[in-house]
Amino acid sequence: MGELLVLVAIGVGTYLMRAAFLATAGARPPAAVGRLLRHVGPAVLAAIALPALVAPQGRVALDATVPALLAAAVAGVAWKFTRSLPLALFGGLVVAWATTWLLT
């Protein structure tokens, strides 16, 4: 019975969150909230990407972490100077392969 109540509460909560967005579709958020909302996307991307860079196999280990961090750094620098995403990705991939090969 308790599980059913939890499922109903989750369903009602989900419906209310979606209904709130539909009911306030034309409304603008307050200025302070609007300023903060610009940072939500980059924060979410960082929260997704950082664990993959620091602990690519679920744990922090020299043989897995160093190639990922070096590849990310090289890709970031390459993109900053060339503004070419394919070149940055290829450069990061080459560095990841090379450091993985050197460390194994």
Side-chain angles (χ1 to χ4, degrees):
M1 182 67 176
E3 294 90 1
L4 182 61
L5 289 175
V6 169
L7 289 175
V8 168
I10 291 171
V12 169
T14 301
Y15 178 79
L16 289 175
M17 284 189 284
R18 292 180 185 194
F21 279 109
L22 291 175
T24 61
R28 309 274 295 158
V33 174
R35 285 192 306 271
L36 291 175
L37 285 176
R38 293 184 299 152
H39 303 290
V40 171
V44 169
L45 286 174
I48 291 169
L50 193 62
L53 291 174
V54 175
Q57 296 171 348
R59 60 181 171 72
V60 177
L62 183 68
D63 61 336
T65 304
V66 170
L69 290 175
L70 283 176
V74 166
V77 169
W79 183 82
K80 181 170 175 83
F81 286 113
T82 65
R83 296 291 185 203
S84 170
L85 186 59
L87 185 62
L89 292 174
F90 183 70
L93 186 61
V94 168
V95 168
W97 284 342
T99 53
T100 301
W101 180 74
L102 287 172
L103 291 175
T104 57

